[in-house]
Amino acid sequence: MSHRSIDSTRLLGRIAELGAIGRDAEGRLVRLAASDSEKLGRDRFVSWLEDAGLEVAVDRIGNIFGIWNGTGGGEKPVMIGSHIDTVINAGIYDGCYGVLAGLEVIQTLKSEGLEPRRPIVVAAFTDEEGVRYAPDMMGSLVYSGGLDVTAALKTVGTDGTVLGDELARIGYAGSRAPGFMTPHAYVELHIEQGPVLEREGVPLGAVENLQGISWQKVTIDGDANHAGTTPISMRRDAGYAAARVITFLRDRAKASNTPTVATVGCIAFEPNAINVIPSRATFTVDLRDPDEDRLKQEETALAAFLELLSAEEGVGVSVERLARFEPVKFDQAIVRQIEAAARDRGLPCKRMTSGAGHDAQMIARIAPGAMIFVPSRGGISHNPKEFTADTELVAGANILLDVICGLATGELPR
């Protein structure tokens, strides 16, 4: 059976070209949201949209849309999306692959004279990574109505800048209201950023759900004292108390037969001196689980342990909620269409859970959606070693092509 195919040379060339934009003096890829380097990436993406004959729209939070109305200008669009901002010292595929593959799908269908019943839109959402401005996935969160755009634009970044001012400065403070298009369906193609597909030798993942995320900042207050003269039994050691929390989280997750994960990613001691018992420890806790009830159980268990810790170690404990997203269940009809497209091309496909957050989880609030994963070598991401083979990138883009074609021209199998 013959299949449409994307232009692999064009897709891979654009991935490489975008990956070269935003390199710092050390050669690291750093395209933080609304920065000068991200402006260069945005400008290049917009030039490709214009070259493809698409209508370009930018909303107030800086999300960029390339719109192909086709013959279905009055219908809700099929949307493909991801992001082009990066972490510090990033790889070239995270987010960018999904955006550029979306553009490639539209160009392929246009070149073949397809007349979709619905518009097809490719979106590059603002600040997915959340490195410069919090929370992460901000552009898609605002777009889906989960965060007021005026409040979001007032967000102060890690460098003291204000997001709204920076978007205006780089020329991407758009005029469209976030959410000006409600998608009929949303599909995001992404590298897995994990080891599952490579480990199992499967080239494609049909992502059926996405883990819930609970982010908290914990502050433990004790007493600073001399490291040599203070007996262990007389210490209110905030550093030791923090270590107990870390081991509690790790031991609990390791002993569980559930997919729960727990991570302490940031930690700081005060006064942070080699010969002084820490008077304060501040650290983050990242809890994730694809089941909401289990995630709540982990939050409850942590709260109970912190209360016990306070009593046993004589320390003060305070907790600040940083972010909380419930697990997302993607649309089963779209998941089945991804699987059907893979079967039709003779490619094995695995249903799976996404352990990372993506723009898709935000857009799922307003439209049915799903994700397609391709393997990540070694499970590495957010790292210049991030790698997916060209053949796998092309295969994923062709599955996206088939799925989008079905969504834009006909009904999904139910």
Side-chain angles (χ1 to χ4, degrees), residues 56-100:
V56 177
V58 181
D59 68 11
R60 291 182 59 203
I61 199 65
N63 298 322
I64 302 171
F65 303 91
I67 305 167
W68 178 34
N69 280 309
T71 58
E75 299 291 332
K76 287 184 177 181
V78 175
M79 186 177 289
I80 316 161
S82 200
H83 63 97
I84 64 170
D85 68 308
T86 74
V87 298
I88 297 170
N89 200 22
I92 68 172
Y93 303 104
D94 178 5
C96 303
Y97 168 52
V99 172
L100 298 178

Side-chain angles (χ1 to χ4, degrees), residues 160-379:
T161 58
V162 177
L163 175 58
D165 294 343
E166 287 294 274
L167 286 171
R169 185 182 65 82
I170 67 170
Y172 284 92
S175 59
R176 296 291 187 97
F180 70 97
M181 294 180 291
T182 300
H184 167 70
Y186 176 88
V187 184
E188 183 166 348
L189 174 63
H190 210 283
I191 60 170
E192 181 192 350
Q193 299 181 281
V196 175
L197 292 175
E198 183 189 46
R199 182 183 63 207
E200 298 188 13
V202 178
L204 291 164
V207 183
E208 62 179 348
N209 59 2
L210 193 149
Q211 293 195 112
I213 301 174
S214 172
W215 281 2
Q216 302 174 60
K217 182 172 76 173
V218 179
T219 301
I220 298 178
D221 286 305
D223 284 330
N225 215 329
H226 197 289
T229 62
T230 309
I232 292 293
S233 62
M234 298 178 64
R235 297 185 179 202
R236 296 178 65 239
D237 186 339
Y240 172 69
R244 284 192 60 184
V245 178
I246 295 170
T247 54
F248 166 78
L249 291 169
R250 177 59 178 260
D251 291 346
R252 181 176 172 84
K254 192 173 181 180
S256 174
N257 60 359
T258 73
T260 301
V261 291
T263 305
V264 172
C266 302
I267 190 165
F269 289 161
E270 296 177 24
N272 200 35
I274 191 171
N275 58 350
V276 180
I277 298 165
S279 61
R280 171 170 286 185
T282 305
F283 55 95
T284 58
V285 176
D286 178 322
L287 297 172
R288 304 193 188 207
D289 195 288
D291 181 85
E292 174 66 9
D293 289 339
R294 285 200 304 262
L295 185 58
K296 287 179 178 178
Q297 290 171 10
E298 295 308 310
E299 292 173 316
T300 300
L302 173 60
F305 181 77
L306 291 174
E307 185 176 349
L308 175 67
L309 181 74
S310 177
E312 290 184 348
E313 298 298 331
V315 294
V317 178
S318 60
V319 178
E320 177 187 354
R321 170 84 67 194
L322 299 178
R324 181 60 160 81
F325 299 120
E326 293 185 358
V328 172
K329 292 184 178 179
F330 288 127
D331 185 84
Q332 288 299 298
I334 301 177
V335 172
R336 288 196 297 271
Q337 187 161 354
I338 294 167
E339 293 175 316
R343 283 195 304 271
D344 198 36
R345 289 183 181 261
L347 295 172
C349 183
K350 175 183 176 65
R351 284 201 179 203
M352 60 192 307
T353 296
S354 172
H358 297 284
D359 291 310
Q361 78 188 76
M362 301 305 173
I363 304 303
R365 298 175 177 212
I366 59 172
M371 296 186 69
I372 304 167
F373 275 174
V374 294
S376 296
R377 179 179 291 178

Side-chain angles (χ1 to χ4, degrees), residues 39-162:
K39 169 183 167 52
L40 297 176
R42 285 170 171 262
D43 289 348
R44 184 57 53 87
F45 177 56
V46 168
S47 73
W48 287 329
L49 296 178
E50 292 172 340
D51 290 345
L54 305 184
E55 176 190 346
V56 177
V58 181
D59 68 11
R60 291 182 59 203
I61 199 65
N63 298 322
I64 302 171
F65 303 91
I67 305 167
W68 178 34
N69 280 309
T71 58
E75 299 291 332
K76 287 184 177 181
V78 175
M79 186 177 289
I80 316 161
S82 200
H83 63 97
I84 64 170
D85 68 308
T86 74
V87 298
I88 297 170
N89 200 22
I92 68 172
Y93 303 104
D94 178 5
C96 303
Y97 168 52
V99 172
L100 298 178
L103 173 56
E104 182 57 41
V105 164
I106 293 175
Q107 287 193 265
T108 299
L109 296 177
K110 283 190 71 177
S111 68
E112 295 198 0
L114 182 78
E115 295 185 357
R117 299 177 188 175
R118 298 181 177 276
I120 304 177
V121 178
V122 58
F125 291 106
T126 295
D127 190 41
E128 193 272 352
E129 295 292 2
V131 175
R132 193 181 185 199
Y133 302 101
D136 56 352
M137 298 170 283
M138 185 186 289
S140 52
L141 179 62
V142 170
Y143 193 84
S144 62
L147 177 63
D148 177 71
V149 64
T150 301
L153 291 172
K154 293 178 181 177
T155 302
V156 178
T158 56
D159 54 0
T161 58
V162 177

